[in-house]
Amino acid sequence: IKLTNKMRSYSLFNLREKYLVVLSRFNQVFLTLSIALLGSLLFSVLSLPLPWLLGALFTSTISTFSGLKLWVPNWLRANSLLVLGALFGTSVSPDFIENTSQWIGSIISVILYVILVIPPLIYYYIKLAHLDFKTAYFSSAPGGLIPMTVLGGEMGADVRTITLIQSSRIILTVAIIPFAFAIFGGYEPTGKIGTGGSFANLNFLDGISLLLISIIGYMIARPLKIPSPSLMGPLAAVALFSTMGELNNVEVPDILVATAQCIIGASIGAMFNDVQPKLVAKVLFHGSVTSIIMIVFGFFCAYLTHTILGLPLNALILGFAPGGFPEMVLVGFALGVDITFLVAHQLSRYLFVTIFVPIS
């Protein structure tokens, strides 16, 4: 019976049911994605950080507060996570393992930073913000907006609260760090979405290979009960092939990255249906306070590591920054930081948080 049900879940009949549900709520989906796209375009025109994700999140959240009922199908969100997983996986270079072994000291420092910063923040959220332990736990982990909301939701935590806290952390981190670099290092904002990939430059066979590897990664991760298989499965599979030199010149088209971020932003914003604005203001306050604490502590750890190991301070600051893996990599592109160095540290922190936080 279990096998029959499992086969049915992948059957054309089941897919037909899913699409019929979407068709029956087409107007709601269209409204949701239109509002999200408007926010993404607005943030993009204003050159604000992470416009396609945070812009969609901003307008969709405002709309839910205004009484609109928004909705994004789960399968559409899952496919968007798959795109981002493939994007992160392609950023891993063949010499990643060799370089990582040379930076083992600073990578350990980043992991220690995560271990040290989470407990006091959990205590803060429980005692002062009155959050339950699971919500406080995933709100404290510097793993980025998308993975922490996904993992927190799967573990039974309050996704809305986690989203607000992680969103405020991303906004403050992406705003404060470039501002600091603008004063000391001449940084100018970038409008980059992904790695600059496009369909015109993507070989057909390479594109098919990347898609198949991503799907296979998801299919392997799902039965293994790996957290967020739509994201982690493709990321791990593509990263594995990238380290072997099989996907050196393959880039996920920016238009897919932008679309995926917009859909995810809309799906997160849709979670705020029927949420009271007073609750949002309270959570954002605590999220901002703790975010500043994390950023300052990250600066301190980066400077200490720089003093001990003699590694570039600018690169270490971005390596320790709690703004999330994709956000810091995008900032790193504009700052001229060694991307391999940055990916090694951010990805190590990202993997440590996404793998060991749910287990612990």
Side-chain angles (χ1 to χ4, degrees), residues 35 39 45 65 96 105 121-122 130 188 193 209 235 254 279 292 302 310 331 336 344-345 350 356 360:
I35 292 173
V45 170
F65 290 159
F96 174 76
L121 292 186
I122 292 177
H130 306 295
E188 294 182 2
I193 299 171
S209 298
L235 190 158
D254 280 358
L279 174 62
I292 293 175
V331 173
H345 289 72
Y350 176 87
F356 288 100
S360 57

Side-chain angles (χ1 to χ4, degrees), residues 159-172:
V159 175
R160 297 169 178 174
T161 299
I162 296 172
T163 299
L164 284 172
I165 293 175
Q166 293 286 354
S167 296
S168 64
R169 184 172 303 151
I170 288 177
I171 294 171
L172 286 173

Side-chain angles (χ1 to χ4, degrees), residues 11 27 30 40 55 75 83 93 153 155 163 182 243 274 302 335 346 351:
S11 67
N27 291 338
F30 181 79
S40 295
W75 63 266
V83 171
S93 61
M155 296 294 176
T163 299
T243 56
D274 303 321
L335 294 176
Q346 282 287 338
L351 291 176

Side-chain angles (χ1 to χ4, degrees), residues 161-358:
T161 299
I162 296 172
T163 299
L164 284 172
I165 293 175
Q166 293 286 354
S167 296
S168 64
R169 184 172 303 151
I170 288 177
I171 294 171
L172 286 173
T173 302
V174 177
I176 290 176
I177 289 182
F179 180 75
F181 275 97
I183 297 176
F184 302 106
Y187 164 73
E188 294 182 2
T190 176
K192 285 188 176 181
I193 299 171
T195 57
S198 66
F199 282 108
N201 297 327
L202 182 63
N203 180 278
F204 177 76
L205 292 179
D206 288 340
I208 294 297
S209 298
L210 181 61
L211 177 61
L212 290 177
I213 292 171
S214 300
I215 294 175
I216 291 173
Y218 164 73
M219 293 177 67
I220 294 174
R222 184 178 179 183
L224 293 177
K225 304 297 182 181
I226 294 176
S228 185
S230 300
L231 179 68
M232 294 304 300
L235 190 158
V238 174
L240 176 62
F241 278 85
S242 295
T243 56
M244 295 188 298
E246 298 296 331
L247 298 172
N248 286 348
N249 300 318
V250 182
E251 294 181 326
V252 179
D254 280 358
I255 188 171
L256 285 181
V257 177
T259 302
Q261 292 185 8
C262 183
I263 291 173
I264 292 171
S267 65
I268 295 173
M271 296 177 184
F272 293 98
N273 289 323
D274 303 321
V275 176
Q276 297 297 325
K278 288 184 178 180
L279 174 62
V280 174
K282 176 183 176 182
V283 173
L284 281 178
F285 170 78
H286 291 296
S288 299
V289 170
T290 54
S291 297
I292 293 175
I293 293 174
M294 293 184 73
I295 294 171
V296 172
F297 186 55
F299 269 106
F300 171 77
C301 291
Y303 182 78
L304 184 62
T305 304
H306 162 72
T307 302
I308 297 173
L309 301 178
L311 295 172
L313 179 59
N314 288 356
L316 284 171
I317 290 174
L318 289 178
F320 278 88
F325 171 63
E327 296 83 14
M328 292 300 98
V329 172
L330 293 178
V331 173
F333 276 120
L335 294 176
V337 171
D338 184 346
I339 297 302
T340 303
F341 179 92
L342 182 54
V343 168
H345 289 72
Q346 282 287 338
L347 188 58
S348 297
R349 177 175 63 82
Y350 176 87
L351 291 176
F352 177 80
V353 172
T354 53
I355 293 175
F356 288 100
V357 164

